[in-house]
Amino acid sequence: MTEQTEMTPQRPLPEITPLTEPFWRAAQSKKLVIQRCAKCDEYQFPPELACTHCGSPDIDWHEVSGRATLYSWTVAHPPMLPYFQERSPWPVVAVELEEGPRMIAGIVETPVDEYEFGMSLVAEFEKISEDVTLVMFRRDG
Amino acid sequence: MIRDKTAIVGIGTTEYVRDIGRPELQTALEAIRAALDDAGLTATDIDAIFKIETPGEEPNSELEVARNLGVPNLRAWGGAGYGGGAACAPVVHAAMTIATGMADVAVAFRSRNRGSGGRPWARTGARVPGIGAFEIPYGLVGPVQQLALVTRRYMHEYGATSEQFARVAVAQRACASKNPRAYFREPITVDDVISSRMIADPLHLLDCSLETDGACAVIVTSAERARDLKQPPAYIMGVSQGMGPRHYMMSGLIYKENPFDFPTIYAARDVYAMAEIGPNDVDVALFYDVFSAMVLWQLEAFGFCEPGEAGAFVEEGRIDWPDGDLPVNTHGGSLSEAYVHGFNHILEGVRQIRGTADCQVKDASIALVAAAAVVPSSALVLRR
C-alpha cells in the first residue's frame, strides 16, 4: 500500500500480481495481451489460473490486434471516488475485442454523444505511473 | 426431500431509517427477538443460525448472536456469500438443515447499517486487488456504475426504455405509500424518475435502491412443529441457489458470451422444479430491486415473459398492485421500503401468505422470493 490520505484524490490503480503481471507488462510496451487455452483454443479475459471454458491449466498469453467494437458504456456522476468525481461526468466503456473477449476500458478523444454500439475502436496505452499503463480505446478512423 | 417439510413461522424487523444509531449486532438481536415473539418461541428453542455475508463487513457472527440471545447450543450455522445474491440463501440453508434433521429451529437474518455505515466502494484502496483491478482504475467503481453498463446493453439488445424502468419504481412507491414501515412513502410518477438526477447513465437517482439501516429476521422450523405455533405457517415449497457457467459478478457479466445469462435463471429453474410449480402458479413476486432494471431481468428469468419482453410487461401495469396479474414488491422493495440486502422481501412474502400485507394480494397462496440476478443467486417459493 502506498501512503494515501482520504483527502488526496489519487486514482486507484491495479494491484499487479504474478497472474496479471504479463498483461500490465505488455501494456507498458503498448501491447495488448490476453490468455488463450492451448487445449480448446478459446481466448479469455480477465486473466485466470486456468481456462474458464474447459478447465485446462494449459493457458498462455497472446498478443491481440487491439481492434475492438464498442459494446456498452456508462457515464458516471457523483457520488464517486474523489479522483473521478473531480473529473465527472466520467465515461467508462465495455469493448468487444476482435478476438472475442470483452473488457472494461477508458476511451479517449471521443465525445460521449458520438458513441454508437458497434463503433470501431483501437487500443491506446496511457502511462499512469511507473508500473501502470492503462489500456484505453479511441475511435478507429 | 425439502419441499413442504419446513415453514417460516416468525418474522421480525427493526425500523428502517437512514441512521439507526445502534450497531448491527444489536439490531440483529432486536429483529430476531421480534421474530421469536411473532412465532411464540424463545431463544432456548433455537439451534441453528444462518446469515448473509458480504466480504469485509461482518461484525455479526453466529456465535455473538447466539451468546447474546442465550441460545443453549447451536447444531448448525453458516453465512451465505455474495450480498444481495444471498438474500434468500440463509433461508435455503435453514430449510435444508431442518428438513434433514440437523436442527429443529433456525434463525435466518440480515442486519446492515448501509445508511449510516458508508458505501463499501468508498473504502477503495490505492491498489485494487482481483478482477476489480481491470475495472476500478477506469472509473467503474460502484454497483450503480457497474450495472448501468449492463443495463445500457440490455436496452440496446431488447429495446427496453428508461420509462419502463421508471414504471417499476412508480409501482413500488405506490405500494410503499400504504406501508408504515417504508422509508419513502410519497407517490412518484414516471416523470419524477426520469427527471431525477442521473447517477450512472442510464440509471437515475429514483432507479436506485435506498441506503438505509435496519435488520430483518425469520424463524424456520419443521412443518409439523409449525402447525402448533402462533402464526399461520408459510410453508417452504422450494429453495435454490444458482450461479451458471463462467460467472463473473455485476459488470463482470460482460465477460460472458451472453451477459444476460444471469445466475437467477439457474435459481429459477431449480426452485420451480423443487416446488413443482411454474410461473402461472405464482400469485405475488418479491424481486431483488437494487436498481429498477433488475426487476425486468427477474421477470424474464422466472418465465413471466420471454427475454426482452419484460419492459412491455411492466408498461402494461402487470406488476402493479392490486390490478396487475403479478403484483411485484408489494412492500415497496429496496427502492422504497428499505435496503436490507433483499431480506425484507422474504418477510413480505410471509405476510402475503398469512394475508397480513399492507398491499395484500387477494387470496395469495404462492409467493416467489428472488435474490439479486447478477451475482450468485438464490430463490424461495412460499405457500399457504
Side-chain angles (χ1 to χ4, degrees):
Chain A
M1 284 292 264
T2 56
E3 302 258 332
Q4 185 180 358
T5 68
E6 276 180 42
M7 301 310 292
T8 314
Q10 201 172 310
R11 185 173 193 158
L13 295 180
E15 181 182 292
I16 299 173
T17 66
L19 174 66
T20 62
E21 191 269 344
F23 178 89
W24 298 114
R25 181 161 37 87
Q28 284 183 311
S29 49
K30 299 185 190 298
K31 290 187 169 76
L32 180 58
V33 299
I34 61 173
Q35 292 175 322
R36 190 170 66 184
C37 178
K39 191 173 161 206
C40 75
D41 279 342
E42 290 275 0
Y43 283 103
Q44 71 180 10
F45 185 86
E48 298 281 2
L49 293 170
C51 174
T52 57
H53 297 274
C54 75
S56 169
D58 192 7
I59 47 177
D60 215 340
W61 292 92
H62 286 260
E63 185 177 354
V64 291
S65 67
R67 282 190 294 275
T69 51
L70 185 58
Y71 186 74
S72 193
W73 68 92
T74 184
V75 181
H77 299 261
M80 305 164 74
L81 291 178
Y83 176 87
F84 301 111
Q85 186 149 313
E86 281 183 4
R87 295 159 177 81
S88 70
W90 180 274
V92 187
V93 299
V95 307
E96 183 169 287
L97 301 177
E98 188 176 60
E99 293 78 8
R102 302 188 191 110
M103 57 192 296
I104 302 299
I107 189 161
V108 295
E109 292 170 14
T110 314
V112 172
D113 57 8
E114 292 175 18
Y115 292 6
E116 281 176 37
F117 289 97
M119 183 167 87
S120 294
L121 302 167
V122 64
E124 284 240 329
F125 298 87
E126 187 176 327
K127 186 172 177 176
I128 305 289
S129 72
E130 213 37 58
D131 63 338
V132 175
T133 295
L134 292 180
V135 180
M136 309 291 285
F137 284 84
R138 68 171 163 79
R139 182 188 286 188
D140 189 17
Chain B
M1 181 156 189
I2 298 176
R3 182 181 194 258
D4 294 337
K5 292 288 200 311
T6 64
I8 297 178
V9 295
I11 59 175
T13 78
T14 61
E15 68 276 30
Y16 302 132
V17 292
R18 173 68 77 168
D19 183 355
I20 206 161
R22 315 191 284 287
E24 290 170 341
L25 175 60
Q26 188 171 335
T27 56
L29 297 170
E30 291 168 14
I32 294 168
R33 290 187 194 111
L36 285 167
D37 283 350
D38 183 55
L41 292 169
T42 67
T44 54
D45 293 303
I46 296 171
D47 57 1
I49 298 180
F50 297 96
K51 65 194 183 82
I52 298 175
E53 286 186 350
T54 303
E57 41 174 300
E58 276 319 303
N60 324 298
S61 67
E62 301 91 330
L63 73 90
E64 286 174 297
V65 169
R67 210 163 53 208
N68 284 279
L69 287 171
V71 171
N73 179 37
L74 279 190
R75 303 200 287 169
W77 60 87
Y82 311 111
C88 297
V91 175
V92 174
H93 295 160
M96 191 165 65
T97 300
I98 289 162
T100 55
M102 271 191 75
D104 292 324
V105 176
V107 167
F109 77 96
R110 180 55 165 163
S111 169
R112 204 176 186 211
N113 287 352
R114 181 60 181 77
S116 62
R119 302 177 171 116
W121 56 260
R123 297 188 282 273
T124 302
R127 289 283 174 160
V128 183
I131 286 170
F134 296 96
E135 300 173 356
I136 290 173
Y138 297 105
L140 198 69
V141 180
V144 64
Q145 296 148 12
Q146 297 188 359
L147 287 183
L149 197 88
V150 178
T151 301
R152 183 182 297 283
R153 183 70 197 186
Y154 174 81
M155 294 168 82
H156 174 66
E157 291 203 9
Y158 295 113
T161 65
S162 292
E163 286 77 9
Q164 291 170 342
F165 302 148
R167 280 297 298 263
V168 173
V170 170
Q172 294 189 195
R173 184 63 66 83
C175 290
S177 72
K178 302 185 189 318
N179 170 3
R181 293 173 310 277
Y183 186 81
F184 277 137
R185 285 174 233 163
E186 187 72 18
I188 52 172
T189 65
V190 167
D191 267 356
D192 291 334
V193 181
I194 303 290
S195 61
S196 65
R197 189 160 68 79
M198 194 65 91
I199 300 293
D201 196 356
L203 297 174
H204 300 81
L205 180 66
L206 293 179
D207 288 308
C208 300
S209 77
L210 302 170
E211 296 180 298
T212 49
D213 290 358
C216 299
V218 303
I219 310 295
V220 181
T221 192
S222 66
E224 201 181 353
R225 188 162 180 182
R227 285 189 272 275
D228 300 328
L229 295 175
K230 252 165 79 180
Q231 304 290 350
Y235 292 101
I236 300 174
M237 282 184 96
V239 296
S240 70
Q241 290 186 278
M243 194 182 296
R246 294 191 72 242
H247 177 62
Y248 292 90
M249 299 197 287
M250 307 292 287
S251 50
L253 286 161
I254 66 124
Y255 303 132
K256 295 182 61 144
E257 289 79 354
N258 173 11
F260 308 110
D261 182 31
F262 296 122
T264 200
I265 292 170
Y266 299 85
R269 180 192 67 191
D270 290 352
V271 85
Y272 281 153
M274 186 186 290
E276 298 174 25
I277 64 160
N280 290 336
D281 301 307
V282 175
D283 299 308
V284 55
L286 293 313
F287 285 144
Y288 194 84
D289 54 335
V290 65
F291 304 110
S292 56
M294 197 182 289
V295 169
L296 275 65
W297 303 340
Q298 288 172 99
L299 285 165
E300 295 169 8
F302 282 89
F304 295 102
C305 54
E306 293 296 312
E309 291 180 359
F313 190 93
V314 166
E315 208 158 39
E316 289 160 11
R318 296 178 66 182
I319 67 165
D320 298 354
W321 179 88
D323 297 327
D325 49 330
L326 181 75
V328 167
N329 292 346
T330 45
H331 54 328
S334 307
L335 297 174
S336 286
E337 188 192 56
Y339 186 61
V340 198
H341 255 153
F343 209 94
N344 47 329
H345 297 43
I346 301 173
L347 276 61
E348 178 67 4
V350 172
R351 287 184 205 105
Q352 287 288 355
I353 294 303
R354 290 180 179 177
T356 59
D358 298 298
C359 296
Q360 181 63 42
V361 173
K362 197 165 173 292
D363 301 325
S365 60
I366 293 187
L368 168 66
V369 191
V374 297
V375 290
S377 199
S378 51
L380 295 176
V381 173
L382 304 174
R383 74 163 175 84
R384 232 174 359 196

